[in-house]
Amino acid sequence: AILRAGAGADLRIMFPMISSLEEFHEACEVVYDSIASLAEQGFEHNDKPRLGMMVQLPAVVDLAEEFAREADFFSIGTNDLIQFLLAADRTNENVASFYLPHHPAVLRALSRIARAAAQHDCDLSICGDMAHETQYAPFLLGIGVRTFSVDPIYLLRTQQAIAATSLAKAETLANEMLSKSRIRDVAALLPERTP
C-alpha cells in the first residue's frame, strides 16, 4: 500500500525497533519482494523508496557505522533510546528521575550515531522529547544533527532556539559536554531551558 500510494513521490520507509543488521536486511527484503510483486501485477508503484530505520535500541549504537553503510537514513528516537540505555521508564514516577537526556552515556551514544551517519552519507534526523527541549539544541547541532522532528506545538520555539545558536559555539559546547563523565558536570554546561 505504501509503495502504491507513493508512486512518483520521494518515498521513505522507516523500520522501527531494529536491533541487528539481519533484521534490517529482512525488513528491506519485504519491501523488495513487494516491489517485484507489484511490477509483476502491473500496478503503478514506487520502485526506488529510500529505506531507513528508527535508532532507538542500545544494540544499534555499537553497530552504528555498519547500519549507516546500509541504511539511507536514521531517525534517532530519543525517548526509547534514553529509556533503554538507562533502564528508566520516564512515565514511572518511581524511576523517572533516572531518565536523564544529559547522561554522559546518552550524549556519547548520540554523538557516535551522528558521526557514523555523517561518515557514510546517511541522512540523520532526531525525534522524541529531546528534539524539542531547547536546552539540548546546541549540543545536538554541535554533533551534526540538522533535522529536528517535533510536534507542531513546539515548532516555533525549536526554530527560534536553532536560529539563535552559533554552530561554532555549539560544536565547542558539544565537545566539552562529551569530555565530561559525571552527570553533574554535564548539567552545569547545559544552557537554560526556554519556557
Side-chain angles (χ1 to χ4, degrees):
I2 294 172
L3 294 168
R4 290 184 68 182
D10 178 15
L11 180 64
R12 293 180 174 218
I13 300 174
M14 180 169 64
F15 307 121
M17 302 302 279
I18 295 292
S19 67
S20 68
L21 287 162
E22 287 84 356
E23 285 179 348
F24 183 73
H25 292 152
E26 287 170 16
C28 291
E29 284 302 320
V30 171
V31 176
Y32 300 144
D33 289 347
S34 297
I35 290 170
S37 175
L38 289 169
E40 188 178 313
Q41 296 174 69
F43 288 116
E44 186 181 6
H45 65 283
N46 189 312
D47 64 352
K48 289 188 173 79
R50 301 187 71 194
L51 304 180
M53 57 185 280
M54 180 75 78
V55 179
Q56 61 199 129
L57 299 180
V60 173
V61 177
D62 278 342
L63 297 169
E65 288 202 17
E66 287 87 344
F67 277 111
R69 288 189 195 103
E70 306 280 339
D72 292 318
F73 63 92
F74 284 166
S75 178
I76 304 174
T78 58
N79 293 351
D80 283 341
L81 184 61
I82 295 165
Q83 186 164 280
F84 295 140
L85 265 174
L86 302 180
D89 181 354
R90 71 188 195 285
T91 64
N92 181 331
E93 62 184 26
N94 294 317
V95 294
S97 63
F98 294 102
Y99 179 91
L100 298 170
H102 59 277
H103 189 291
V106 171
L107 300 186
R108 291 178 189 183
L110 294 173
S111 177
R112 187 168 183 180
I113 294 161
R115 193 167 57 247
Q119 288 172 349
H120 298 286
D121 199 27
C122 176
D123 285 354
L124 176 68
S125 64
I126 195 159
C127 62
D129 292 344
M130 199 173 180
H132 70 250
E133 291 174 354
T134 55
Q135 78 240 53
Y136 299 117
F139 172 80
L140 295 171
L141 291 166
I143 62 170
V145 177
R146 297 292 180 267
T147 303
F148 292 64
S149 177
V150 300
D151 288 337
I153 192 172
Y154 302 118
L155 187 58
L156 180 59
R157 80 175 191 191
T158 303
Q159 288 176 323
Q160 290 171 337
I162 292 170
T165 302
S166 152
L167 280 181
K169 289 180 180 176
E171 288 169 3
T172 299
L173 176 64
N175 287 332
E176 190 173 359
M177 291 172 74
L178 289 167
S179 74
K180 305 300 182 187
S181 55
R182 293 181 183 274
I183 296 167
R184 66 172 178 261
D185 293 340
V186 175
L189 295 171
L190 279 175
E192 286 190 24
R193 179 182 300 192
T194 303

